[in-house]
Amino acid sequence: MEPSALRILDANANRAREALRVVEDYTRFYLNHQPLCAELKGLRHDLTAATGPWLGDAILFRDTPGDVGTTVATLAEGARADLPAVVTAAGKRLGEALRTIEEYLKIDSPEAAARVESIRYRFYDIELRVARTLRPVNLFWDVELYVLITESACNLAWKDVVDAAIDGDVDCIQLREKELEGGELLERAIWVADRCQLAGVRFLVNDRPDIAVLAGADGVHVGQGDLPAAEARKIVGSGKIVGVSTHNIEQARRAVMDGADYIGVGPIFKSPTKPRDFVAGLEYATQIANEIKVPAVAIAGITEENLEQVLETGIGAVAVTAAVAGCDDPAGATRRMKQRIKEFKKRSAGNMTVGRTFLSAQ
């Protein structure tokens, strides 16, 4: 292979290894995802094996001072907006480098070029899985109190409960009506969306990403038996919130990989709103707070009385149904719970991580 082609192989092998390391470190230190990390490490080793016969000679022709490309740069190359931008840029750089290596290896070894082509396609699949996890960091982190609205659980008219929760300074409302026909559900969702938008409160629809989009909601929440999160994301798009209910750590890890903006955690306690034959408990909440990097919404039985037990797991926010919707003064209940969360955070400042994950009760 001529010297200029060897220089191209050397430069792009460096680009590819560097980009792989950036993506690998994201899966290792942010996602804590050992299988994906292992796949990327395997790609690095396979790339070294495929290019090794040429790289020993190629480095001898490296000429960094004489490289005219080192002085060519754009403003975008000097800054990254956030962590997703870093990982995305590395992924695109890797794909480009692998294609260049593949093309130039065809000069000497179509077999080696085919091996690099295989590596490129394997990475494209990994890139998709990683991309699902690259969510904006500001969609849900500042939520402190989240109220679920189900008409059958409301002591007052359901619309009055929505208005009362907003008056009580709720941060997010979810419309959860499993039995309604699509037309009526859409009508209700549009009404709640308008109320929440005026008040600056986030609004999610349970189970129905199509209704969420049509109503102009901020997102959707899906359970284990509902539409998969990755499919819900295709419907609502990248700019909306997708939450996923989980009952064990494996489901939580899967939800993160599917691109959840927050996860449901529970049931934490027994709940009169939705009876279940099992309880995940506070231990599961603690496990989530210690491992999972996205906000978490725990499910079932959280009240003013047990609120601090939940917060002590490392959870920084709660969402409730019965504790607000089932009482005579939903605005007052909302206001008291919000205040207790703030007071707990103030007392706990410096002692524990608070505000990173999110809990709810039904």
Side-chain angles (χ1 to χ4, degrees):
M1 190 178 294
E2 64 179 277
S4 58
L6 288 171
R7 286 185 66 196
I8 291 170
L9 281 180
D10 176 59
N12 281 281
N14 287 340
R15 289 192 189 104
R17 287 193 300 269
E18 292 161 1
L20 268 169
R21 179 63 77 176
V22 171
V23 181
E24 183 184 332
D25 282 351
Y26 169 76
T27 65
R28 177 182 176 184
F29 297 110
Y30 182 83
L31 293 180
N32 298 315
H33 197 276
Q34 192 276 334
L36 198 53
C37 183
E39 283 188 65
L40 287 161
K41 185 174 182 179
L43 286 187
R44 282 196 293 110
H45 286 286
D46 290 348
L47 179 62
T48 297
T51 58
W54 292 270
L55 294 186
D57 289 336
I59 195 172
L60 301 177
F61 295 93
R62 185 181 299 174
D63 181 14
T64 303
D67 183 354
V68 296
T70 59
T71 59
V72 178
T74 65
L75 291 176
E77 292 179 75
R80 296 282 184 256
D82 51 23
L83 186 148
V86 170
V87 178
T88 299
K92 299 308 178 188
R93 188 164 62 248
L94 175 57
E96 294 165 358
L98 289 174
R99 185 53 186 256
T100 300
I101 293 169
E102 176 190 335
E103 290 298 323
Y104 280 88
L105 279 180
K106 291 176 181 178
I107 297 171
D108 269 14
S109 176
E111 181 182 356
R115 292 169 65 187
V116 175
E117 179 186 35
S118 174
I119 293 169
R120 179 163 58 86
Y121 283 125
R122 285 160 57 195
F123 176 71
Y124 288 161
D125 176 65
I126 295 172
E127 186 180 28
L128 170 61
R129 284 181 277 157
V130 169
R132 289 186 183 131
T133 72
L134 298 175
R135 306 297 304 132
V137 297
N138 62 346
L139 289 179
F140 219 75
W141 286 109
D142 58 347
V143 170
E144 291 184 321
L145 186 59
Y146 179 152
V147 171
L148 285 74
I149 301 294
T150 300
E151 184 175 14
S152 62
C154 293
N155 196 43
L156 307 178
W158 72 269
K159 288 184 177 180
D160 292 339
V161 175
V162 171
D163 286 336
I166 291 173
D167 289 342
D169 200 25
V170 72
D171 299 304
C172 183
I173 287 176
Q174 181 190 132
L175 181 62
R176 187 180 187 278
E177 296 289 359
K178 293 284 191 180
E179 306 303 323
L180 289 184
E181 296 291 338
E184 186 176 356
L185 180 60
L186 177 59
E187 184 178 343
R188 291 193 185 194
I190 290 172
W191 186 89
V192 181
D194 289 343
R195 281 290 203 275
C196 288
Q197 185 175 17
L198 287 172
V201 172
R202 289 176 181 81
F203 169 51
L204 307 180
V205 177
N206 182 274
D207 188 21
R208 295 290 299 272
D210 55 339
I211 297 292
V213 171
L214 291 171
D218 294 296
V220 65
H221 183 91
V222 295
Q224 288 297 310
D226 298 330
L227 192 67
E231 299 305 313
R233 174 68 66 198
K234 293 176 183 178
I235 296 172
V236 302
S238 61
K240 290 189 182 294
I241 296 165
V242 174
V244 181
S245 292
T246 69
H247 312 306
N248 58 59
I249 193 63
E250 291 304 321
Q251 291 176 353
R253 291 167 180 159
R254 179 71 263 167
V256 172
M257 294 305 300
D258 283 346
D261 294 290
Y262 72 87
I263 59 171
V265 179
I268 300 301
F269 304 110
K270 291 186 180 297
S271 168
T273 305
K274 186 176 180 180
R276 297 175 176 88
D277 59 3
F278 69 98
V279 173
L282 295 170
E283 182 178 352
Y284 178 40
T286 301
Q287 188 178 17
I288 291 296
N290 289 335
E291 176 177 335
I292 300 299
K293 298 294 182 71
V294 302
V297 180
I299 301 167
I302 299 170
T303 65
E304 290 186 55
E305 288 70 29
N306 62 29
L307 172 61
E308 291 200 9
Q309 287 181 263
V310 175
L311 297 175
E312 284 169 357
T313 66
I315 300 303
V318 300
V320 297
T321 298
V324 168
C327 66
D328 294 328
D329 179 18
T334 302
R335 195 171 293 112
R336 288 192 302 273
M337 294 194 79
K338 183 74 173 283
Q339 184 60 33
R340 290 188 68 174
I341 294 168
K342 289 185 177 296
E343 290 174 354
F344 183 89
K345 287 183 177 182
K346 185 176 181 180
R347 293 197 309 270
S348 302
N351 296 324
M352 63 184 292
T353 300
V354 175
R356 189 172 63 80
T357 54
F358 296 77
L359 286 151
S360 77
Q362 294 180 8

